[in-house]
Amino acid sequence: MRVLLHACCGPCSIMCVKMLRDAGHDVTAYFANPNIHPVMEYLRRREAMEQAAARLALPVIWQDDVYSVSGWLAAVHDQGIADNADARRCAYCYASRLTLTAAAAREHGFDAFSTSLLYSRHQRHELIREEGEKAAARVPGSSFLYMDFRPGWQEGIDLSKEWGLYRQNYCACIFSEEERFLKKVRKLAEAQ
Ligand code: SF4
């Protein structure tokens, strides 16, 4: 099948591409990630995606025109899900990107779409699967291909290091960045 793979970043895409190809699929990546904050982080991850794609001889469809920090924050704020502890924010984040992917897959005539989010051990795997299926239902003519890419976890990490790719240390949105690093600020406050 011709598969459009939503790519969240370069490192996470490596094993997804390899495993899909091993299963006989023809893969094109689709980079659509308005959840990555701040802008410089988006550019760093995009560059790592370009480097991974060059290594893998992987065609990529770039959807930079959907990138908007203020638009993304307004969307989560308006839905009342701008809260660190709220799983609904991640559900929206998955749904919005997978719906874009489903629409792009239909527009470009792909047989199915999938996502590199299914590679991460840190993501909500079952929720991603559910949102992929919902996105396909939302976009008639599109089809979601579920595959568990997590068995490739360590090999993907090793390859991304060998290739010198930028490896992020928080999920992507500003809330996840706060979650990851705020404790450092708290410790400084405690020491005062
Ligand atoms: S934590 Fe990650 S998956 Fe959840 S909303 Fe933020 S960027 Fe999206």
Side-chain angles (χ1 to χ4, degrees):
M1 286 199 294
R2 288 184 66 234
V3 176
L4 187 63
L5 175 74
H6 164 256
C8 62
C9 65
C12 288
S13 301
I14 298 171
M15 291 310 296
C16 307
V17 173
K18 285 181 175 285
M19 290 168 81
L20 284 166
R21 283 178 173 167
D22 286 348
H25 301 304
D26 176 8
V27 188
T28 294
Y30 179 64
F31 192 85
N33 298 295
N35 57 314
I36 302 173
H37 308 156
V39 180
M40 287 307 292
E41 180 72 15
Y42 177 80
L43 293 172
R44 287 182 89 181
R45 295 190 194 191
R46 192 189 190 286
E47 188 182 16
M49 184 67 220
E50 282 176 45
Q51 292 164 344
R55 289 273 190 171
L56 294 161
L58 173 71
V60 183
I61 297 173
W62 302 98
Q63 197 74 68
D64 296 306
D65 60 350
V66 297
Y67 189 76
S68 164
V69 177
S70 55
W72 194 89
L73 290 173
V76 296
H77 181 266
D78 291 351
Q79 294 175 59
I81 52 176
D83 183 316
N84 255 341
D86 200 330
R88 290 180 305 153
R89 193 189 69 237
C90 296
Y92 162 76
C93 184
Y94 300 148
S96 57
R97 288 183 285 165
L98 290 171
T99 303
L100 282 170
T101 312
R106 183 177 64 182
E107 183 189 340
H108 296 284
F110 286 89
D111 301 303
F113 68 93
S114 192
T115 175
S116 62
L117 294 166
L118 293 167
Y119 162 81
S120 176
R121 288 184 179 171
H122 302 303
Q123 297 288 340
R124 301 165 197 262
H125 194 89
E126 284 310 313
L127 184 56
I128 295 162
R129 181 179 194 167
E130 200 180 299
E131 291 300 338
E133 280 157 9
K134 281 189 197 166
R138 228 173 268 132
V139 180
S142 71
S143 173
F144 178 61
L145 174 64
Y146 169 76
M147 197 181 279
D148 187 355
F149 299 115
R150 291 173 297 181
W153 180 250
Q154 193 55 50
E155 193 179 342
I157 291 172
D158 294 344
L159 279 170
S160 66
K161 287 181 178 170
E162 189 185 316
W163 295 353
L165 300 185
Y166 168 64
R167 296 174 45 77
Q168 62 268 15
N169 53 11
Y170 63 98
C171 185
C173 67
I174 197 69
F175 301 103
S176 61
E177 197 259 8
E178 180 187 46
E179 212 165 51
R180 177 76 172 75
F181 298 113
L182 189 66
K183 52 184 172 289
K184 293 191 177 185
V185 181
R186 294 282 178 259
K187 272 190 188 160
L188 289 172
E190 281 165 21
Q192 280 165 1

